[in-house]
């Protein structure tokens, strides 16, 4: 949670545990420029000094990142349990979120609540990570279930008068929105 002198400067014996600021959030980084490094070294009576004004230290905090694919799979399983059948996509209104946890946390996500409107194919859900018992991170999402169906499409462009054969057509999975475009 904190950034210490020993985290920034190599070989510091005295005051290595001295807190110089807050650590970046898990998965994030901060950059300490030459001026900040110089002021810290002088204040703590360190012999280390930046060589040029372009010197910098980048502090990156390790993290466990739960990908959008893992979030989507959790939502998909819950929607199937709510009665959604057949092929479908999960389309979130907020893009493709990820969940960032401290590095020592397991990369797991759980669903704490989900509401599904069968008539509108609309859902809202609350996801927690790493578990229901230990909800370190919580995100609320809303979205739609996009039902998919097989649609015939041409494999390549044909000329006027060409006869379409079985080898010219392939079936793809498309949503209602895609078919309207």
């Amino acid at each position: 949670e904190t950034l210490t002198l020993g985290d920034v400067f190599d070989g510091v014996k005295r005051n290595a545990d001295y807190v110089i600021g807050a650590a970046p959030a898990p998965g994030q980084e901060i950059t300490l420029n030459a001026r900040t490094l110089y002021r810290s070294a002088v204040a703590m009576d360190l012999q280390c000094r930046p060589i040029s004004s372009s010197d910098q230290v980048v502090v990156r905090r390790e993290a466990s990142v739960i990908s959008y694919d893992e979030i989507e799979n959790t939502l998909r399983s819950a929607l199937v349990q709510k009665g959604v059948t057949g092929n479908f996509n999960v389309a979130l209104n907020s893009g493709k979120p990820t969940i960032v946890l401290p590095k020592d946390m397991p990369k797991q996500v759980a669903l704490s609540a989900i509401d599904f409107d069968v008539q509108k194919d609309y859902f809202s859900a609350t996801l927690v990570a790493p578990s229901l018992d230990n909800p370190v991170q919580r995100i609320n999402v809303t979205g739609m279930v996009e039902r998919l169906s097989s649609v015939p499409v041409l494999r390549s462009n044909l000329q006027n008068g060409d006869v379409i054969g079985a080898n010219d057509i392939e079936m793809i999975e498309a949503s209602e929105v895609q078919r309207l475009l």
Side-chain angles (χ1 to χ4, degrees):
E1 297 299 318
T2 60
L3 186 61
T4 65
L5 209 56
D7 293 328
V8 176
F9 294 97
D10 286 334
V12 175
K13 303 272 190 267
R14 188 172 51 113
N15 296 327
D17 292 335
Y18 182 80
V19 175
I20 58 175
Q28 300 294 310
E29 64 182 37
I30 60 171
T31 302
L32 304 175
N33 62 23
R35 182 176 178 178
T36 302
L37 296 171
Y38 177 79
R39 285 192 289 156
S40 296
V42 169
M44 297 309 294
D45 195 29
L46 300 175
Q47 298 303 311
C48 182
R49 299 288 191 272
I51 296 171
S52 76
S53 62
S54 63
D55 282 354
Q56 64 182 17
V57 171
V58 178
V59 179
R60 186 174 301 114
R61 190 163 173 193
E62 292 185 47
S64 293
V65 178
I66 298 171
S67 71
Y68 172 72
D69 290 341
E70 294 168 283
I71 292 169
E72 182 184 28
N73 288 338
T74 300
L75 290 169
R76 182 179 290 281
S77 296
L79 289 165
V80 167
Q81 290 179 355
K82 289 282 187 179
V84 177
T85 59
N87 291 338
F88 65 93
N89 282 335
V90 173
L92 296 183
N93 295 333
S94 58
K96 295 185 174 185
T98 58
I99 298 174
V100 180
L101 297 170
K103 74 171 185 160
D104 57 338
M105 295 273 177
K107 288 176 46 173
Q108 299 172 338
V109 64
L111 196 67
S112 68
I114 187 165
D115 290 318
F116 179 61
D117 184 331
V118 177
Q119 293 175 335
K120 295 180 182 176
D121 276 345
Y122 177 84
F123 66 88
S124 62
T126 301
L127 297 147
V128 294
S131 67
L132 291 171
D133 296 332
N134 186 20
V136 172
Q137 291 286 347
R138 177 184 313 271
I139 63 169
N140 296 313
V141 295
T142 59
M144 300 286 297
V145 170
E146 292 182 342
R147 309 272 179 178
L148 301 175
S149 57
S150 293
V151 177
V153 295
L154 291 172
R155 291 182 190 258
S156 62
N157 293 334
L158 298 177
Q159 300 298 317
N160 190 16
D162 286 349
V163 176
I164 298 174
N167 292 335
D168 295 321
I169 297 175
E170 70 177 303
M171 301 299 283
I172 63 166
E173 294 292 316
S175 70
E176 289 290 327
V177 173
Q178 291 170 321
R179 286 187 296 208
L180 294 174
L181 296 178

